């Protein structure tokens, strides 16, 4: 398994066009992906055997929800995010989840950064936890 960042939601389409003949599983932040969804889903319909798209709340939310990091703080926050997210400090829930994951993993093998996913997340047991949360299907 290989995990690559498209660097931004807007970069996903260009990345997919370069890799459309490969088996690709795209995970994008659902809330921020709206302007790009139509073009990406159209490309998915053109390459149904190769491209699968999944749009959770945010990628960081998915990693926190998978309990790979294992934090009681994260469990409580995920149960009721609106009680934890200060809207004057965070532009979006995605930014809050990113900040939370970065704080919880700082200095650990799971240290989170947007540009490159730590290898610890891609260990089979950990990747399986995240993939178990994903309920998606190819759109045809």
């Amino acid at each position: 398994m290989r995990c690559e960042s498209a660097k931004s939601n807007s970069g996903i389409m260009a990345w997919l066009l370069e890799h459309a003949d490969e088996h690709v599983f795209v995970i994008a932040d659902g809330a921020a992906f709206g302007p790009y969804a139509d073009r990406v889903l159209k490309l998915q319909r053109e390459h149904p055997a190769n491209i699968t798209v999944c749009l959770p709340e945010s990628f960081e939310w998915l990693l926190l929800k998978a309990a790979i990091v294992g934090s009681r703080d994260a469990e409580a926050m995920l149960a009721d995010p609106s009680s934890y997210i200060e809207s004057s400090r965070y532009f979006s829930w995605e930014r809050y989840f990113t900040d939370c994951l970065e704080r919880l993993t700082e200095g650990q093998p799971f240290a989170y950064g947007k540009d490159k996913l730590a290898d610890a997340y891609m260990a089979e047991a950990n990747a399986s936890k995240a993939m178990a949360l994903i309920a998606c299907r190819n759109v045809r």
Side-chain angles (χ1 to χ4, degrees):
M1 176 178 14
R2 184 174 89 213
C3 183
E4 292 186 33
S5 173
K7 307 294 184 211
S8 67
N9 281 327
S10 62
I12 291 174
M13 188 64 181
W15 191 95
L16 279 173
L17 289 171
E18 293 176 18
H19 298 87
D21 293 329
E22 300 175 30
H23 291 284
V24 177
F25 187 82
V26 176
I27 302 174
D29 296 340
F33 196 64
Y36 313 101
D38 189 52
R39 290 177 54 209
V40 169
L41 294 174
K42 182 179 180 215
L43 185 63
Q44 179 187 30
R45 285 189 295 274
E46 292 170 6
H47 301 272
N50 292 352
I51 299 173
T52 300
V53 178
C54 189
L55 305 171
E57 174 74 34
S58 79
F59 184 63
E60 294 79 12
W61 173 89
L62 179 68
L63 295 177
L64 288 165
K65 186 75 174 166
I68 295 168
V69 175
S71 164
R72 288 186 184 181
D73 292 339
E75 289 176 32
M77 179 271 304
L78 290 168
D80 185 19
S82 62
S83 294
Y84 290 82
I85 300 172
E86 175 55 52
S87 61
S88 64
R89 183 171 176 205
Y90 296 100
F91 175 73
S92 67
W93 284 28
E94 186 271 337
R95 293 205 186 185
Y96 174 77
F97 294 133
T98 299
D99 183 57
C100 185
L101 188 57
E102 287 172 344
R103 283 185 286 110
L104 287 171
T105 61
E106 188 174 10
Q108 298 179 24
F110 291 99
Y112 181 76
K114 282 230 177 241
D115 291 335
K116 183 175 183 329
L117 190 63
D119 290 339
Y121 289 101
M122 292 182 281
E124 182 152 351
N126 294 326
S128 293
K129 288 179 183 180
M131 294 301 287
L133 293 174
I134 297 172
C136 61
R137 60 182 176 80
N138 278 331
V139 176
R140 298 180 199 269

